Amino acid sequence: MSPIGREEAARRAAEELLKSPYERESLPDMLLRRFNQFVGDLADAALGNGPVGGIIASVVILALVVAAAALVSWQLRRMSRRRGLVTGGLYGERVRTADEHRRAAERLAGEGRWSEAIQERLRAIARDLEERALVDGMPGRTADELAAEAAAALPDLARELTAAARSFDDVTYGGVPGTPEAYATMAGLDDRLRQTRPVPLAVAVAGEAS
């Protein structure tokens, strides 16, 4: 048999690597495999390299587990906040004042865009309540959560707050078209809320307790 030249050897090696047992794995699979191999090596060191090596390996493994848990927890919180903004929260990513939301609502109403005007007017209500410290500035708050929290400080308007939250949800998630009447109701509630004094804290606490 004649000797194999350099080019022929390279070609055969490339063909061999392309066969199924040597197919290139994906990056996540490769990283997972190497991580598992690294942890396995540390575990072997913990079991077979004496007390000092075992302690060091155990500490490293524990640190890796804690770091992985922290990373997963952080990612879940990040996804939760983002999901709250997109699917259930009142505000978008841009922070506006109550007056800015009101002006936007009036502009949208003037253009006949009633659904968006209703959304902006409830956002004005929510921001105004936050600016007056009647509700907490909780990220990702839903309209229903706003109504429930505001009702503790403004019990006389609890029913209207609940109706406003329902109107917001209808036009935002329920596919219900906004109307001039619904917007006028929302704007009227906004005006009354700005003129209403909250009940004293002791009275609100007593009412919740009863």
Side-chain angles (χ1 to χ4, degrees), residues 29-130:
D29 290 340
M30 181 187 69
L31 293 176
L32 180 61
R33 177 176 58 79
R34 291 186 177 181
F35 176 79
N36 289 335
Q37 182 179 355
F38 177 65
V39 173
D41 292 342
L42 287 176
D44 291 341
L47 295 175
N49 284 352
V52 176
I55 292 174
I56 295 175
S58 299
V59 170
V60 173
I61 292 174
L62 179 60
L64 288 173
V65 171
V66 171
L71 179 61
V72 170
S73 177
W74 172 78
Q75 184 66 19
L76 289 175
R77 288 197 302 269
R78 182 183 177 188
M79 292 175 60
S80 177
R81 288 196 298 269
R82 184 177 299 173
R83 186 163 50 249
L85 286 172
V86 173
T87 63
L90 286 173
Y91 308 113
E93 294 183 359
R94 178 184 173 188
V95 177
R96 296 181 176 179
T97 66
D99 286 338
E100 287 176 330
H101 282 298
R102 286 191 189 97
R103 288 195 296 269
E106 289 297 318
R107 176 180 56 80
L108 292 166
E111 297 172 359
R113 298 161 61 180
W114 299 111
S115 295
E116 296 167 87
I118 289 169
Q119 292 171 333
E120 283 300 310
R121 199 71 187 213
L122 186 65
R123 288 165 183 155
I125 290 173
R127 191 65 77 192
D128 184 78
L129 293 172
E130 290 177 358

Side-chain angles (χ1 to χ4, degrees), residues 150-169:
L154 303 165
D156 292 341
L157 295 173
R159 183 175 299 179
E160 293 179 71
L161 286 164
T162 300
R166 187 178 303 115
S167 179
F168 178 91
D169 288 342

